[in-house]
mmCIF file of all heavy atoms in Angstrom:
data_model
loop_
_atom_site.group_PDB
_atom_site.id
_atom_site.type_symbol
_atom_site.label_atom_id
_atom_site.label_comp_id
_atom_site.label_asym_id
_atom_site.label_seq_id
_atom_site.Cartn_x
_atom_site.Cartn_y
_atom_site.Cartn_z
ATOM 1 N N ILE A 1 116.167 52.001 145.467
ATOM 2 C CA ILE A 1 115.039 52.861 145.158
ATOM 3 C C ILE A 1 113.721 52.197 145.518
ATOM 4 O O ILE A 1 112.829 52.872 146.109
ATOM 5 C CB ILE A 1 115.031 53.134 143.604
ATOM 6 C CG1 ILE A 1 116.213 54.037 143.229
ATOM 7 C CG2 ILE A 1 113.702 53.786 143.141
ATOM 8 C CD1 ILE A 1 116.461 54.105 141.738
ATOM 9 N N HIS A 2 113.624 50.917 145.372
ATOM 10 C CA HIS A 2 112.434 50.121 145.728
ATOM 11 C C HIS A 2 112.240 50.203 147.198
ATOM 12 O O HIS A 2 111.127 50.506 147.733
ATOM 13 C CB HIS A 2 112.557 48.724 145.264
ATOM 14 C CG HIS A 2 111.454 47.825 145.827
ATOM 15 N ND1 HIS A 2 110.221 47.716 145.264
ATOM 16 C CD2 HIS A 2 111.476 47.059 146.948
ATOM 17 C CE1 HIS A 2 109.468 46.907 145.999
ATOM 18 N NE2 HIS A 2 110.185 46.472 147.001
ATOM 19 N N ALA A 3 113.312 49.917 147.998
ATOM 20 C CA ALA A 3 113.210 49.817 149.439
ATOM 21 C C ALA A 3 112.826 51.171 150.024
ATOM 22 O O ALA A 3 111.965 51.230 150.939
ATOM 23 C CB ALA A 3 114.578 49.400 150.049
ATOM 24 N N GLU A 4 113.384 52.251 149.524
ATOM 25 C CA GLU A 4 113.022 53.582 150.115
ATOM 26 C C GLU A 4 111.629 53.979 149.788
ATOM 27 O O GLU A 4 110.936 54.667 150.515
ATOM 28 C CB GLU A 4 114.085 54.645 149.619
ATOM 29 C CG GLU A 4 115.464 54.334 150.179
ATOM 30 C CD GLU A 4 116.597 55.258 149.803
ATOM 31 O OE1 GLU A 4 116.256 56.149 148.951
ATOM 32 O OE2 GLU A 4 117.704 55.115 150.344
ATOM 33 N N ALA A 5 111.145 53.528 148.604
ATOM 34 C CA ALA A 5 109.737 53.848 148.274
ATOM 35 C C ALA A 5 108.770 53.059 149.179
ATOM 36 O O ALA A 5 107.758 53.564 149.636
ATOM 37 C CB ALA A 5 109.438 53.464 146.803
ATOM 38 N N GLU A 6 109.165 51.794 149.461
ATOM 39 C CA GLU A 6 108.377 50.970 150.406
ATOM 40 C C GLU A 6 108.296 51.611 151.823
ATOM 41 O O GLU A 6 107.283 51.681 152.491
ATOM 42 C CB GLU A 6 108.922 49.534 150.452
ATOM 43 C CG GLU A 6 108.619 48.778 149.241
ATOM 44 C CD GLU A 6 107.177 48.520 148.939
ATOM 45 O OE1 GLU A 6 106.440 48.044 149.866
ATOM 46 O OE2 GLU A 6 106.755 48.860 147.812
ATOM 47 N N LEU A 7 109.467 52.046 152.290
ATOM 48 C CA LEU A 7 109.513 52.662 153.616
ATOM 49 C C LEU A 7 108.624 53.925 153.736
ATOM 50 O O LEU A 7 107.997 54.105 154.763
ATOM 51 C CB LEU A 7 110.960 52.991 153.971
ATOM 52 C CG LEU A 7 111.910 51.847 154.135
ATOM 53 C CD1 LEU A 7 113.377 52.342 154.205
ATOM 54 C CD2 LEU A 7 111.544 50.999 155.379
ATOM 55 N N LYS A 8 108.521 54.671 152.658
ATOM 56 C CA LYS A 8 107.698 55.882 152.699
ATOM 57 C C LYS A 8 106.206 55.514 152.759
ATOM 58 O O LYS A 8 105.417 56.287 153.303
ATOM 59 C CB LYS A 8 107.917 56.687 151.435
ATOM 60 C CG LYS A 8 109.301 57.403 151.463
ATOM 61 C CD LYS A 8 109.524 58.240 150.190
ATOM 62 C CE LYS A 8 110.843 58.920 150.237
ATOM 63 N NZ LYS A 8 111.149 59.688 148.990
ATOM 64 N N LYS A 9 105.848 54.318 152.349
ATOM 65 C CA LYS A 9 104.458 53.912 152.450
ATOM 66 C C LYS A 9 103.984 53.893 153.922
ATOM 67 O O LYS A 9 102.838 54.195 154.205
ATOM 68 C CB LYS A 9 104.251 52.506 151.875
ATOM 69 C CG LYS A 9 104.358 52.461 150.305
ATOM 70 C CD LYS A 9 104.138 50.953 149.892
ATOM 71 C CE LYS A 9 104.187 50.843 148.375
ATOM 72 N NZ LYS A 9 103.990 49.432 147.955
ATOM 73 N N LEU A 10 104.930 53.501 154.858
ATOM 74 C CA LEU A 10 104.541 53.428 156.201
ATOM 75 C C LEU A 10 105.219 54.519 157.025
ATOM 76 O O LEU A 10 105.320 54.429 158.283
ATOM 77 C CB LEU A 10 104.922 52.069 156.788
ATOM 78 C CG LEU A 10 103.747 50.991 156.738
ATOM 79 C CD1 LEU A 10 103.534 50.638 155.290
ATOM 80 C CD2 LEU A 10 104.117 49.760 157.554
ATOM 81 N N ASP A 11 105.728 55.527 156.357
ATOM 82 C CA ASP A 11 106.373 56.711 156.988
ATOM 83 C C ASP A 11 107.560 56.249 157.890
ATOM 84 O O ASP A 11 107.767 56.697 159.002
ATOM 85 C CB ASP A 11 105.370 57.504 157.819
ATOM 86 C CG ASP A 11 105.900 58.868 158.289
ATOM 87 O OD1 ASP A 11 106.781 59.391 157.555
ATOM 88 O OD2 ASP A 11 105.511 59.354 159.330
ATOM 89 N N LEU A 12 108.349 55.282 157.332
ATOM 90 C CA LEU A 12 109.495 54.693 158.126
ATOM 91 C C LEU A 12 110.837 55.216 157.601
ATOM 92 O O LEU A 12 111.834 54.715 158.034
ATOM 93 C CB LEU A 12 109.467 53.202 158.018
ATOM 94 C CG LEU A 12 108.239 52.468 158.695
ATOM 95 C CD1 LEU A 12 108.320 50.959 158.438
ATOM 96 C CD2 LEU A 12 108.268 52.805 160.224
ATOM 97 N N GLN A 13 110.824 56.181 156.650
ATOM 98 C CA GLN A 13 112.035 56.528 155.997
ATOM 99 C C GLN A 13 113.080 57.238 156.968
ATOM 100 O O GLN A 13 114.307 57.187 156.710
ATOM 101 C CB GLN A 13 111.778 57.446 154.835
ATOM 102 C CG GLN A 13 111.200 58.820 155.199
ATOM 103 C CD GLN A 13 109.670 58.813 155.271
ATOM 104 O OE1 GLN A 13 109.052 57.789 155.412
ATOM 105 N NE2 GLN A 13 109.056 60.036 155.166
ATOM 106 N N ASN A 14 112.584 57.789 158.097
ATOM 107 C CA ASN A 14 113.478 58.376 159.030
ATOM 108 C C ASN A 14 113.982 57.356 160.122
ATOM 109 O O ASN A 14 114.986 57.599 160.754
ATOM 110 C CB ASN A 14 112.853 59.543 159.656
ATOM 111 C CG ASN A 14 112.581 60.717 158.712
ATOM 112 O OD1 ASN A 14 113.388 60.966 157.850
ATOM 113 N ND2 ASN A 14 111.474 61.378 158.855
ATOM 114 N N LEU A 15 113.244 56.294 160.250
ATOM 115 C CA LEU A 15 113.615 55.291 161.256
ATOM 116 C C LEU A 15 114.467 54.242 160.666
ATOM 117 O O LEU A 15 115.505 53.790 161.331
ATOM 118 C CB LEU A 15 112.323 54.587 161.772
ATOM 119 C CG LEU A 15 112.513 53.466 162.817
ATOM 120 C CD1 LEU A 15 113.044 54.020 164.130
ATOM 121 C CD2 LEU A 15 111.214 52.655 162.991
ATOM 122 N N VAL A 16 114.193 53.801 159.458
ATOM 123 C CA VAL A 16 114.983 52.685 158.860
ATOM 124 C C VAL A 16 116.023 53.249 157.889
ATOM 125 O O VAL A 16 115.689 53.959 156.973
ATOM 126 C CB VAL A 16 114.041 51.740 158.123
ATOM 127 C CG1 VAL A 16 114.798 50.536 157.486
ATOM 128 C CG2 VAL A 16 112.923 51.194 159.105
ATOM 129 N N LYS A 17 117.268 52.961 158.106
ATOM 130 C CA LYS A 17 118.369 53.466 157.331
ATOM 131 C C LYS A 17 119.112 52.393 156.565
ATOM 132 O O LYS A 17 119.104 51.219 156.958
ATOM 133 C CB LYS A 17 119.373 54.166 158.253
ATOM 134 C CG LYS A 17 118.844 55.317 159.066
ATOM 135 C CD LYS A 17 118.253 56.408 158.164
ATOM 136 C CE LYS A 17 117.737 57.603 158.937
ATOM 137 N NZ LYS A 17 117.157 58.644 158.104
ATOM 138 N N ARG A 18 119.654 52.770 155.442
ATOM 139 C CA ARG A 18 120.377 51.848 154.590
ATOM 140 C C ARG A 18 121.638 51.420 155.319
ATOM 141 O O ARG A 18 122.393 52.215 155.924
ATOM 142 C CB ARG A 18 120.749 52.466 153.282
ATOM 143 C CG ARG A 18 121.540 51.578 152.291
ATOM 144 C CD ARG A 18 121.883 52.275 151.011
ATOM 145 N NE ARG A 18 122.677 51.467 150.156
ATOM 146 C CZ ARG A 18 124.002 51.343 150.221
ATOM 147 N NH1 ARG A 18 124.744 52.049 151.106
ATOM 148 N NH2 ARG A 18 124.591 50.515 149.439
ATOM 149 N N PHE A 19 121.986 50.048 155.157
ATOM 150 C CA PHE A 19 123.218 49.509 155.708
ATOM 151 C C PHE A 19 123.900 48.790 154.586
ATOM 152 O O PHE A 19 123.301 47.919 153.903
ATOM 153 C CB PHE A 19 122.894 48.546 156.843
ATOM 154 C CG PHE A 19 124.096 48.153 157.688
ATOM 155 C CD1 PHE A 19 124.301 48.843 158.898
ATOM 156 C CD2 PHE A 19 124.974 47.131 157.288
ATOM 157 C CE1 PHE A 19 125.365 48.495 159.696
ATOM 158 C CE2 PHE A 19 126.082 46.801 158.096
ATOM 159 C CZ PHE A 19 126.304 47.525 159.265
ATOM 160 N N PRO A 20 125.077 49.178 154.152
ATOM 161 C CA PRO A 20 125.688 48.591 152.940
ATOM 162 C C PRO A 20 126.010 47.098 153.152
ATOM 163 O O PRO A 20 126.558 46.690 154.140
ATOM 164 C CB PRO A 20 127.004 49.438 152.785
ATOM 165 C CG PRO A 20 127.260 49.999 154.125
ATOM 166 C CD PRO A 20 125.913 50.215 154.765
ATOM 167 N N GLY A 21 125.654 46.315 152.148
ATOM 168 C CA GLY A 21 125.837 44.918 152.197
ATOM 169 C C GLY A 21 127.238 44.523 151.733
ATOM 170 O O GLY A 21 128.015 45.351 151.236
ATOM 171 N N ILE A 22 127.564 43.223 151.929
ATOM 172 C CA ILE A 22 128.861 42.680 151.531
ATOM 173 C C ILE A 22 128.659 41.895 150.208
ATOM 174 O O ILE A 22 127.821 40.989 150.175
ATOM 175 C CB ILE A 22 129.348 41.690 152.605
ATOM 176 C CG1 ILE A 22 129.553 42.452 153.961
ATOM 177 C CG2 ILE A 22 130.681 41.076 152.168
ATOM 178 C CD1 ILE A 22 129.777 41.517 155.084
ATOM 179 N N GLU A 23 129.371 42.265 149.160
ATOM 180 C CA GLU A 23 129.193 41.671 147.880
ATOM 181 C C GLU A 23 129.813 40.193 147.831
ATOM 182 O O GLU A 23 130.841 40.019 148.339
ATOM 183 C CB GLU A 23 129.790 42.508 146.782
ATOM 184 C CG GLU A 23 129.471 41.956 145.357
ATOM 185 C CD GLU A 23 129.890 42.960 144.287
ATOM 186 O OE1 GLU A 23 130.182 44.099 144.572
ATOM 187 O OE2 GLU A 23 129.813 42.564 143.107
ATOM 188 N N ASP A 24 129.048 39.334 147.209
ATOM 189 C CA ASP A 24 129.523 37.924 147.040
ATOM 190 C C ASP A 24 130.499 37.854 145.887
ATOM 191 O O ASP A 24 130.133 38.037 144.712
ATOM 192 C CB ASP A 24 128.314 37.090 146.758
ATOM 193 C CG ASP A 24 128.704 35.612 146.494
ATOM 194 O OD1 ASP A 24 129.862 35.259 146.799
ATOM 195 O OD2 ASP A 24 127.861 34.848 146.014
ATOM 196 N N ARG A 25 131.768 37.674 146.192
ATOM 197 C CA ARG A 25 132.852 37.532 145.135
ATOM 198 C C ARG A 25 133.126 36.143 144.786
ATOM 199 O O ARG A 25 133.779 35.810 143.824
ATOM 200 C CB ARG A 25 134.129 38.142 145.692
ATOM 201 C CG ARG A 25 133.985 39.665 146.128
ATOM 202 C CD ARG A 25 133.844 40.531 144.906
ATOM 203 N NE ARG A 25 133.862 41.935 145.360
ATOM 204 C CZ ARG A 25 133.790 43.020 144.485
ATOM 205 N NH1 ARG A 25 133.659 42.721 143.199
ATOM 206 N NH2 ARG A 25 133.778 44.223 144.941
ATOM 207 N N ILE A 26 132.580 35.183 145.568
ATOM 208 C CA ILE A 26 132.849 33.761 145.327
ATOM 209 C C ILE A 26 131.817 33.127 144.364
ATOM 210 O O ILE A 26 132.138 32.424 143.423
ATOM 211 C CB ILE A 26 132.868 33.003 146.672
ATOM 212 C CG1 ILE A 26 133.914 33.520 147.581
ATOM 213 C CG2 ILE A 26 133.072 31.494 146.400
ATOM 214 C CD1 ILE A 26 133.960 32.919 148.975
ATOM 215 N N ARG A 27 130.572 33.496 144.578
ATOM 216 C CA ARG A 27 129.445 33.101 143.701
ATOM 217 C C ARG A 27 129.349 31.571 143.510
ATOM 218 O O ARG A 27 129.298 31.098 142.397
ATOM 219 C CB ARG A 27 129.549 33.799 142.318
ATOM 220 C CG ARG A 27 129.441 35.349 142.473
ATOM 221 C CD ARG A 27 129.511 36.031 141.125
ATOM 222 N NE ARG A 27 128.432 35.662 140.243
ATOM 223 C CZ ARG A 27 127.185 36.196 140.334
ATOM 224 N NH1 ARG A 27 126.903 37.069 141.253
ATOM 225 N NH2 ARG A 27 126.310 35.876 139.427
ATOM 226 N N LYS A 28 129.368 30.910 144.656
ATOM 227 C CA LYS A 28 129.060 29.495 144.647
ATOM 228 C C LYS A 28 127.750 29.318 145.396
ATOM 229 O O LYS A 28 127.105 30.229 145.875
ATOM 230 C CB LYS A 28 130.202 28.681 145.292
ATOM 231 C CG LYS A 28 131.513 28.733 144.472
ATOM 232 C CD LYS A 28 132.544 27.870 145.119
ATOM 233 C CE LYS A 28 133.811 27.834 144.296
ATOM 234 N NZ LYS A 28 134.882 26.986 144.892
ATOM 235 N N GLU A 29 127.304 28.012 145.512
ATOM 236 C CA GLU A 29 126.025 27.763 146.112
ATOM 237 C C GLU A 29 125.936 28.328 147.510
ATOM 238 O O GLU A 29 126.726 28.035 148.357
ATOM 239 C CB GLU A 29 125.773 26.233 146.188
ATOM 240 C CG GLU A 29 124.348 25.953 146.692
ATOM 241 C CD GLU A 29 124.107 24.403 146.702
ATOM 242 O OE1 GLU A 29 125.041 23.696 146.337
ATOM 243 O OE2 GLU A 29 122.984 24.057 147.066
ATOM 244 N N LYS A 30 124.909 29.215 147.708
ATOM 245 C CA LYS A 30 124.579 29.791 148.979
ATOM 246 C C LYS A 30 125.568 30.837 149.496
ATOM 247 O O LYS A 30 125.392 31.410 150.591
ATOM 248 C CB LYS A 30 124.297 28.762 150.086
ATOM 249 C CG LYS A 30 123.070 27.918 149.764
ATOM 250 C CD LYS A 30 122.830 26.878 150.854
ATOM 251 C CE LYS A 30 122.208 27.459 152.085
ATOM 252 N NZ LYS A 30 121.903 26.437 153.114
ATOM 253 N N THR A 31 126.684 31.109 148.775
ATOM 254 C CA THR A 31 127.620 32.056 149.287
ATOM 255 C C THR A 31 127.033 33.492 149.349
ATOM 256 O O THR A 31 127.395 34.250 150.206
ATOM 257 C CB THR A 31 128.952 32.091 148.420
ATOM 258 O OG1 THR A 31 128.597 32.318 147.034
ATOM 259 C CG2 THR A 31 129.686 30.801 148.580
ATOM 260 N N GLY A 32 126.095 33.785 148.456
ATOM 261 C CA GLY A 32 125.404 35.037 148.542
ATOM 262 C C GLY A 32 124.620 35.209 149.801
ATOM 263 O O GLY A 32 124.563 36.214 150.403
ATOM 264 N N HIS A 33 124.030 34.086 150.200
ATOM 265 C CA HIS A 33 123.190 34.125 151.443
ATOM 266 C C HIS A 33 124.151 34.249 152.648
ATOM 267 O O HIS A 33 123.733 34.862 153.679
ATOM 268 C CB HIS A 33 122.419 32.756 151.607
ATOM 269 C CG HIS A 33 121.421 32.589 150.482
ATOM 270 N ND1 HIS A 33 120.307 33.375 150.350
ATOM 271 C CD2 HIS A 33 121.404 31.707 149.434
ATOM 272 C CE1 HIS A 33 119.647 32.940 149.271
ATOM 273 N NE2 HIS A 33 120.247 31.997 148.701
#
């Protein structure tokens, strides 16, 4: 919701599309990164 609101500020909602991320199942240091 936040990202899409930000994109509308610069009229980028049609250019920039959502890409689904990969969830961190290990949850150790830096694995989320």
Side-chain angles (χ1 to χ4, degrees):
I1 292 169
H2 170 85
E4 293 179 357
E6 287 298 306
L7 292 171
K8 287 180 181 178
K9 288 182 180 179
L10 269 68
D11 193 28
L12 294 175
Q13 66 272 19
N14 294 323
L15 177 70
V16 181
K17 300 301 183 183
R18 179 182 179 274
F19 197 95
I22 302 167
E23 187 169 350
D24 178 14
R25 302 288 186 180
I26 300 175
R27 296 180 65 80
K28 292 184 179 180
E29 184 178 1
K30 294 180 75 174
T31 53
H33 297 292

